[in-house]
Amino acid sequence: MINAIQLRKGNVIIFDGVPHRVLSYEHRTPGKGPAFVRVLLRNLESGASYDNRFSSSDSVEKATLEQKQMEYLYRDGDLFAFMDTENYEQISLNSELLGDYEKFLKEGQVIEIQFFGEKPIGIEPPTTVILEVVETEPELKGATASNSPKPATLDTGAVIMVPPFVKVGDKVRITTADGKYQERA
């Protein structure tokens, strides 16, 4: 059990006997009345999302999750196939479980998948990934005054904004939380 004020985005809690993921979190202290925590929860069994309020003194049950290392194999429409690196069992996850990380997945990449019991409920993506630039505009010679970013297509198909000096073939480090360029790798 944890206090409601300790909740954070991405936490998985047991609410009404069902696992829920915290999609957003806001601690409010109104001028009048007690402080409260407002969260947007997604029911991991039905997929329904809804707002809920907890008093800041309420306790919630944090779900016990098992994490498994799994290798990304291929995409089949809206499903992504993964293989357990220990016993070679395969599972498929839909794009909703992957969220924004879907655009940074590369075949052969190993990520941690979270399980509640036997059911996969989400992923724990790495904080950064290194991908190759396959398409971008060439750098303009002598345009040192313009430091405006330009779009670049990565080997996974994702398009991000990069500095003007990045060229085709460069490997770049990207933050997976916001999809932003960090540095050349």
Side-chain angles (χ1 to χ4, degrees):
M1 298 294 257
I2 61 171
N3 283 339
I5 59 173
Q6 293 175 309
L7 287 174
R8 295 292 174 258
K9 181 180 177 180
N11 286 153
V12 178
I13 62 170
I14 304 296
F15 182 67
D16 291 337
V18 178
H20 288 75
R21 183 174 302 277
V22 177
L23 299 178
S24 69
Y25 165 90
E26 184 180 15
H27 183 254
R28 303 289 307 242
T29 310
K32 202 173 198 180
F36 64 91
V37 175
R38 186 170 153 188
V39 292
L40 178 62
L41 298 173
R42 172 176 288 138
N43 183 320
L44 294 175
E45 289 182 356
S46 69
S49 297
Y50 51 90
D51 275 325
N52 195 43
R53 278 177 126 176
F54 293 107
S55 165
S56 57
S57 61
D58 285 348
S59 291
V60 294
E61 183 182 351
K62 196 165 183 183
T64 305
L65 302 178
E66 182 183 342
Q67 305 233 6
K68 290 184 182 178
Q69 295 277 330
M70 301 196 87
E71 181 181 343
Y72 172 58
L73 299 176
Y74 60 89
R75 180 180 186 161
D76 184 18
D78 228 17
L79 296 175
F80 295 80
F82 290 88
M83 178 183 66
D84 190 323
T85 55
E86 291 178 10
N87 61 15
Y88 306 110
E89 289 181 10
Q90 291 186 18
I91 63 167
S92 292
L93 301 179
N94 63 22
S95 58
E96 186 178 299
L97 284 178
L98 296 175
D100 291 338
Y101 187 69
E102 154 189 347
K103 59 188 172 193
F104 301 119
L105 265 178
K106 255 179 104 170
E107 289 181 10
Q109 185 179 15
V110 176
I111 64 170
E112 287 191 2
I113 298 183
Q114 300 168 331
F115 287 82
F116 182 72
E118 294 294 315
K119 183 179 181 188
I121 60 167
I123 64 166
E124 188 66 41
T127 53
T128 62
V129 290
I130 297 174
L131 299 171
E132 185 176 340
V133 175
V134 294
E135 184 182 323
T136 190
E137 300 168 5
E139 181 178 8
L140 296 174
K141 297 290 184 204
T144 57
S146 104
N147 192 20
S148 57
K150 61 183 182 178
T153 304
L154 305 174
D155 53 354
T156 61
V159 177
I160 64 165
M161 300 304 283
V162 296
F165 57 80
V166 174
K167 56 189 178 300
V168 173
D170 284 353
K171 294 200 183 284
V172 293
R173 183 181 316 273
I174 292 111
T175 308
T176 57
D178 57 10
K180 292 192 176 176
Y181 168 88
Q182 265 191 336
E183 64 186 0
R184 280 194 285 195

